[in-house]
Amino acid sequence: MNGLDRRDFRILTELVADARASQVELAGKIGLSPTACARRIHQLEEAGIIRGYRADLDLPMLGLVTTVMVTITLEKQSEDFLAAFEAAVARCPDVITCHLMSGTDDYHLQVVARDIADFERIHKQHLSRMPGVARIHSSFAMREVVRRAIPETALPR
Amino acid sequence: MNGLDRRDFRILTELVADARASQVELAGKIGLSPTACARRIHQLEEAGIIRGYRADLDLPMLGLVTTVMVTITLEKQSEDFLAAFEAAVARCPDVITCHLMSGTDDYHLQVVARDIADFERIHKQHLSRMPGVARIHSSFAMREVVRRAIPETALPR
DNA sequence: TATGAAAGGCCGTGAAC
DNA sequence: GTTCACGGCCTTTCATA
């Protein structure tokens, strides 16, 4: 994967904390000239380690207060069933994460909705219509306890 | 929540796509002067709708290739049991999300580890030692199918 | 109340070492 | 990795609808 040193990790740490920090600011914090800092950032971007920079929005403030964890089991686990299902999931705008799980070969989805009625719409309109779906299990989140951009162990210092 | 107009939503959309876009760039895209654009951004920040700006890192490239979905059930659901458990979860650096779920009153955690052995360490060292834990169920993700910063329905246009 | 225009200082970028 | 210089950006102020 790498050849990253402590300064690279420091840069990544700072950019996760504040992606809009100026380069002189970053350079000062990690003890480097702005030019060298900019070069490292470019390398991290081109290596694909930095995928981009995103604004972190408060979803509840935008009316999205309902998080639902959905487990979906398919009728069959053949290649084309998986592919067809995954294409449908990717097209559903309300899904923010989807993982293919080991063991029982089902999918875990995290769905965000405005309220329970909105989730019902998503369920009817998208989830239940996805190809090859045998069972859908939904459970509602009452409260978000922890939310981190990355695990704290990702970037040693 | 609001009083947000189309231009605010456009700004948010652009900042989610690229948080490092310059203000003249943003201003050009949404048809506004840089000054007005900057003012709106400041208001969105102070309103708390924009929580911050984060670099989006490729975790697999940093050696974090193992995502585990963990469900934890507590022995009791009294206030202080929940509070003690939640404090412990917040202290675990490998947990990136934790939700209190409705119904059975357990917690859903998303844990990121370097590999299965690393997860075993996290399990022994953190998860199993959290106060009030009755049961732990872990399932491994084989593949990430979808990952979005925000649902596409969050920002109308 | 929100926008647009102009001025000044700061930042980001590239060349040379 | 650093220094230096230049071009552009960000910020503030002020005038306007």
Side-chain angles (χ1 to χ4, degrees), chain A residues 102-123:
Chain A
S102 65
T104 48
D105 266 322
D106 31 39
Y107 291 90
H108 270 37
L109 284 65
Q110 184 171 341
V111 176
V112 175
R114 310 199 87 77
D115 50 36
I116 296 184
D118 189 36
F119 179 72
E120 189 186 351
R121 175 191 63 77
I122 296 165
H123 190 286

Side-chain angles (χ1 to χ4, degrees), chain A residues 8-18 155-157, chain B residues 57:
Chain A
D8 291 311
F9 287 128
R10 274 300 302 277
I11 289 174
L12 293 175
T13 302
E14 296 296 334
L15 285 176
V16 169
D18 177 15
L155 303 171
R157 59 189 176 86
Chain B
L57 305 188

Side-chain angles (χ1 to χ4, degrees), chain B residues 32-33 35-36 39-40:
Chain B
L32 216 58
S33 74
T35 310
R39 230 188 337 254
R40 281 168 180 262

Side-chain angles (χ1 to χ4, degrees), chain B residues 34-110:
Chain B
T35 310
C37 193
R39 230 188 337 254
R40 281 168 180 262
I41 292 174
H42 263 103
Q43 288 168 358
L44 291 165
E45 289 170 352
E46 302 213 338
I49 292 173
I50 298 178
R51 299 173 40 149
Y53 306 93
R54 329 241 95 96
D56 177 12
L57 305 188
D58 187 304
L59 294 183
M61 278 207 178
L62 293 168
L64 295 162
V65 296
T66 308
T67 295
V68 191
M69 304 298 185
V70 178
T71 302
I72 291 184
T73 307
L74 297 190
E75 299 165 358
K76 303 180 182 178
Q77 284 89 29
S78 61
E79 269 301 321
D80 39 329
F81 263 70
L82 300 184
F85 173 78
E86 290 177 16
V89 169
R91 264 184 267 112
C92 178
D94 310 287
V95 172
I96 60 172
T97 66
C98 172
H99 292 266
L100 171 62
M101 305 305 294
S102 65
T104 48
D105 266 323
D106 31 40
Y107 291 90
H108 270 37
L109 284 65
Q110 184 171 342

Side-chain angles (χ1 to χ4, degrees), chain A residues 83-94:
Chain A
F85 173 77
E86 290 177 16
V89 168
R91 265 184 265 111
C92 178
D94 311 287

Side-chain angles (χ1 to χ4, degrees), chain A residues 51 56 92 100 142 148, chain B residues 19 51 56 92 100 142 148:
Chain A
R51 299 172 39 152
D56 177 13
C92 178
L100 171 62
M142 295 181 59
R148 272 195 254 277
Chain B
R51 299 173 40 149
D56 177 12
C92 178
L100 171 62
M142 295 180 60
R148 271 195 255 277

